[in-house]
Amino acid sequence: MEIEAAPAAGDVEKGVAESVSCGIESSAAYLIWEEVTVVLPKFGGGPTKRLLNGLSGYAEPGRIMAIMGPSGSGKSTLLDSLAGRLSANLVLTGNILLNGKKRRLDHDFVAYVTQEDVLMGTLTVRETIQYSAQLRLPSNITKKEVNLIVDNVISEMGLEDCAETLIGNWHLRGISGGEKKRLSIALEIITQPQLLFLDEPTSGLDSASAYFVVQVLKNIACGGSGRTIICSIHQPSSEVFALFDDLVLLSSGETIYFGDAKLAVEFFGDSGFACPTRRNPADHFLRCINSDFDDVTATLIGSQRINDIKESSGSLVYLPTAECRVRLIQNYKYSKHKLRTKARIRELANMKDIVFKESGGSQARWLKQLCTLIKRSLKNMSRDFGYYWLRIIVYMILSLCAGTVFYDVGTGHDAIIARGACGGFISGFMSFMSIGGFPSFIEEMKIFEKERKSGHYGVGVFILSNFISSFPFLVVMSLSSAAITYNLVKFHPGFFHFLYAAIDLLSSIAVVESCMMVVACFVPNFTMGLVVGAGLLGIMMASAGFFRLMPDLPKVFWRYPISYVNYMAWALQCHKNLNSTCLTMLWTAI
């Protein structure tokens, strides 16, 4: 096969100059990677697994690059490596340079759109973009300027028709999948990042929606100052594939092809795997390099059906064997495309005059972030019926049940145990109902994790805003429950005693809510979270001093320190001030 000579350095410099003249500013992002290898170490002396093997390439502004390959080929691993989001248990070697310099590619330089659309379903499209803008844009920008930026982003992403529509959740009908994907992209381009990564932006979309999403990305790449866009994609349609400028084709962590997407068909044809007419090039490429079914093909190789297919097709397209993949890898190593890539990488690595403009992350002050998160959380909690309103109704029903069961039990000797049981029910089982908010916690933690990785805000401001926004609902929950049970059971009369009981219940619920938030951080699975949370609260009940009195608890571990860090034990102790004189004497004796 004839190999074309590599372009001279002057030609590459001319290409850069032409890019600048086409509207790409000197602050654009030129990303290169050289001999990038990612391995998964095996602990215990086992062999390591190589996910990427010596990949090299580059991405330029004003162009959109597609990373393609079959499942398990290393698409997401390469994307995460370039975006600085590689998992901590993986080891990366090689050079990743931005405008000729090694630097950490975090949220200050890039924007990353995840495959899953993690959005707050109770907000409208405009509200979602507006809150994201307030969290990230400088605090000195006026409200009018923020609204103008939001309107421009909505217009750029084609979201005008659904701007005032709720995104939707489990009980609210919302926008379509394509609109959610465009909204996810809109949230990341608010700060005008020059480097944009997307993990399978067309996943789960129909062909029309996928085409529109990629067309929007094409416009983003070519418009303005020229942005560098890199996305992983599994199996695009022929119309979508035609929109890509550059192509990275991977198989089992190896480079099958890197270069201009339009020249990939020529490369496969020169290698002996010509793409038949009227066939999607992307489908053809994946059929040639997918070796997942080699064993199945080997067992059928002698069947008449396979032979008929080979004769009718005239090629090995329907027989994706390991030999095909090895031949393509070897042909690429000695092809003109590889030489062009090496020459371009050398030129971009020596860039000195291009200064990258840092525009990602958040530029808002801490106080503005706090106020914005409080407003957003309050709106989310008030609109989501299952977050607090349903639990408030359940609490009131349970309080009415407990109040009628222990209605005016009196102050006699027989009533002492009944009053203690009522106190245990209020402090234990009613606060246990806060575990019902775990599904909402899971969704909120997903949003927090995504926004924290993108640098929108920190952990401290999120915790404080969540507590402040949930406090009014907890107060309503505690006051309504305490008012019903306190008056029906006839606890110790007096407004301050009632207020004491309400604060006691409020403190118990707040502790359980906080514990479930901690569980949601470590166990992001709904079923496992409920099991862990219920087990934790079960331990609290066992050592609270109700089922077994405090002096009878084993001193090691259960009495010291568990009973002293147990919120339920303190809540039960406070009930001695809410009952009659006889019950107070009983609590004193205990």
Side-chain angles (χ1 to χ4, degrees), residues 23-266:
I24 299 175
E25 299 177 352
S26 60
S27 61
Y30 291 84
L31 181 68
I32 66 174
W33 56 98
E34 299 178 284
E35 299 299 324
V36 171
T37 300
V38 176
V39 298
L40 176 62
K42 293 290 185 179
F43 299 98
T48 60
K49 182 178 180 181
R50 192 178 294 267
L51 304 180
L52 298 179
N53 186 23
L55 305 187
S56 298
Y58 59 89
E60 298 180 278
R63 301 175 67 86
I64 176 172
M65 173 180 289
I67 303 176
M68 281 180 51
S71 299
S73 61
K75 301 188 300 295
S76 297
T77 303
L78 176 59
L79 193 74
D80 292 342
S81 301
L82 299 180
R85 294 197 176 204
L86 196 64
S87 178
N89 64 331
L90 300 179
V91 178
L92 183 147
T93 57
N95 296 324
I96 299 178
L97 307 179
L98 182 62
N99 291 350
K101 297 181 180 179
K102 270 191 176 183
R103 60 201 316 169
R104 179 181 174 85
L105 295 181
D106 52 19
H107 52 76
D108 292 332
F109 306 99
V110 304
Y112 191 100
V113 180
T114 58
Q115 180 178 354
E116 182 183 3
D117 299 319
V118 183
L119 303 167
M120 197 167 285
T122 54
L123 302 180
T124 66
V125 171
R126 183 180 298 277
E127 289 171 344
T128 302
I129 300 176
Q130 195 160 24
Y131 282 129
S132 182
Q134 293 172 355
L135 285 171
R136 304 166 67 186
L137 295 176
S139 301
N140 55 2
I141 293 182
T142 63
K143 185 177 181 180
K144 184 177 180 180
E145 292 173 334
V146 172
N147 292 335
L148 180 60
I149 293 174
V150 171
D151 291 337
N152 291 337
V153 171
I154 291 176
S155 177
E156 185 177 10
M157 299 304 300
L159 295 170
E160 297 95 334
D161 294 338
C162 61
E164 307 303 330
T165 306
L166 293 176
I167 296 173
N169 56 12
W170 64 277
H171 69 93
L172 295 173
R173 183 178 178 85
I175 59 179
S176 65
E179 290 168 338
K180 287 182 179 180
K181 182 61 65 176
R182 280 181 276 151
L183 176 58
S184 299
I185 299 173
L187 295 177
E188 298 301 331
I189 65 173
I190 291 176
T191 55
Q192 301 295 316
Q194 295 297 320
L195 191 56
L196 179 62
F197 294 93
L198 303 101
D199 188 10
E200 300 199 15
T202 61
S203 177
L205 303 181
D206 59 80
S207 58
S209 299
Y211 179 81
F212 190 86
V213 168
V214 179
Q215 181 63 60
V216 168
L217 293 176
K218 182 77 172 179
N219 296 336
I220 293 174
C222 298
S225 59
R227 304 176 196 174
T228 306
I229 297 181
I230 305 174
C231 64
S232 63
I233 192 162
H234 181 62
Q235 194 167 5
S237 64
S238 56
E239 293 82 3
V240 171
F241 181 79
L243 296 175
F244 294 120
D245 298 302
D246 300 310
L247 174 65
V248 181
L249 196 57
L250 302 178
S251 179
S252 301
E254 300 279 355
T255 302
I256 301 295
Y257 173 82
F258 177 86
D260 196 312
K262 297 178 181 179
L263 300 179
V265 175
E266 175 189 340

Side-chain angles (χ1 to χ4, degrees), residues 427-429 431-432 435 511-512 515-516 519 530-548 550 553-554 556-570 572:
S427 300
F429 289 99
S431 61
F432 186 86
I435 198 174
V511 170
V512 178
C515 290
M516 295 309 299
V519 172
L530 288 180
V531 172
V532 173
L536 179 63
L537 295 181
I539 294 175
M540 298 286 188
M541 286 185 179
S543 58
F546 175 72
F547 296 101
R548 192 173 188 187
M550 285 292 183
L553 288 175
V556 178
F557 185 72
W558 290 110
R559 182 79 181 272
Y560 308 102
I562 294 299
S563 66
Y564 282 87
V565 298
N566 187 352
Y567 81 94
M568 202 176 297
W570 294 98
L572 283 172

Side-chain angles (χ1 to χ4, degrees), residues 199-449:
D199 188 10
E200 300 199 15
T202 61
S203 177
L205 303 181
D206 59 80
S207 58
S209 299
Y211 179 81
F212 190 86
V213 168
V214 179
Q215 181 63 60
V216 168
L217 293 176
K218 182 77 172 179
N219 296 336
I220 293 174
C222 298
S225 59
R227 304 176 196 174
T228 306
I229 297 181
I230 305 174
C231 64
S232 63
I233 192 162
H234 181 62
Q235 194 167 5
S237 64
S238 56
E239 293 82 3
V240 171
F241 181 79
L243 296 175
F244 294 120
D245 298 302
D246 300 310
L247 174 65
V248 181
L249 196 57
L250 302 178
S251 179
S252 301
E254 300 279 355
T255 302
I256 301 295
Y257 173 82
F258 177 86
D260 196 312
K262 297 178 181 179
L263 300 179
V265 175
E266 175 189 340
F267 168 74
F268 272 74
D270 294 340
S271 301
F273 304 99
C275 180
T277 57
R278 299 183 181 180
R279 179 177 295 166
N280 182 4
D283 292 340
H284 176 77
F285 301 155
L286 293 179
R287 286 180 181 180
C288 290
I289 65 177
N290 192 345
S291 59
D292 293 343
F293 304 99
D294 284 352
D295 295 337
V296 177
T297 304
T299 60
L300 299 175
I301 196 68
S303 68
Q304 185 62 37
R305 179 172 178 269
I306 292 294
N307 290 331
D308 292 342
I309 292 176
K310 290 172 62 179
E311 293 174 1
S312 62
S313 64
S315 66
L316 296 179
V317 173
Y318 292 96
L319 298 175
T321 61
E323 290 77 7
C324 299
R325 185 171 59 86
V326 172
R327 187 195 305 178
L328 288 168
I329 294 174
Q330 293 299 324
N331 288 348
Y332 172 73
K333 288 182 179 180
Y334 301 102
S335 68
K336 58 185 178 182
H337 308 285
K338 180 70 172 181
L339 295 177
R340 287 174 179 173
T341 301
K342 287 183 177 180
R344 187 59 170 160
I345 288 176
R346 285 195 300 267
E347 182 63 28
L348 294 178
N350 295 326
M351 282 187 171
K352 302 297 181 183
D353 299 330
I354 297 181
V355 179
F356 188 72
K357 179 182 178 182
E358 301 178 12
S359 58
S362 175
Q363 305 174 56
R365 295 191 183 95
W366 188 85
L367 183 60
K368 183 179 179 180
Q369 291 179 344
L370 177 63
C371 296
T372 302
L373 286 177
I374 291 174
K375 292 178 183 177
R376 189 178 73 172
S377 296
L378 280 172
K379 188 167 292 187
N380 176 46
M381 293 173 181
S382 60
R383 290 180 179 177
D384 191 347
F385 180 74
Y387 206 118
Y388 278 116
W389 296 121
L390 181 61
R391 280 192 283 163
I392 289 175
I393 295 174
V394 172
Y395 265 71
M396 294 177 68
I397 294 175
L398 286 175
S399 300
L400 186 62
C401 294
T404 53
V405 169
F406 297 97
Y407 178 74
D408 196 10
V409 294
T411 58
H413 183 272
D414 295 336
I416 294 178
I417 297 179
R419 286 178 173 268
C422 182
F425 181 83
I426 294 173
S427 300
F429 289 99
M430 291 190 66
S431 61
F432 186 86
M433 289 300 299
S434 293
I435 198 174
F438 189 76
S440 301
F441 296 155
I442 288 288
E443 296 301 319
E444 199 160 359
M445 288 305 302
K446 288 181 180 179
I447 296 174
F448 162 70
E449 185 66 19

Side-chain angles (χ1 to χ4, degrees), residues 486-506:
Y486 200 90
N487 291 288
L488 289 178
V489 181
K490 306 296 183 184
F491 282 120
H492 199 291
F495 173 76
F496 289 103
H497 290 87
F498 163 73
L499 186 62
Y500 190 78
I503 294 176
D504 172 62
L505 183 58
L506 173 63

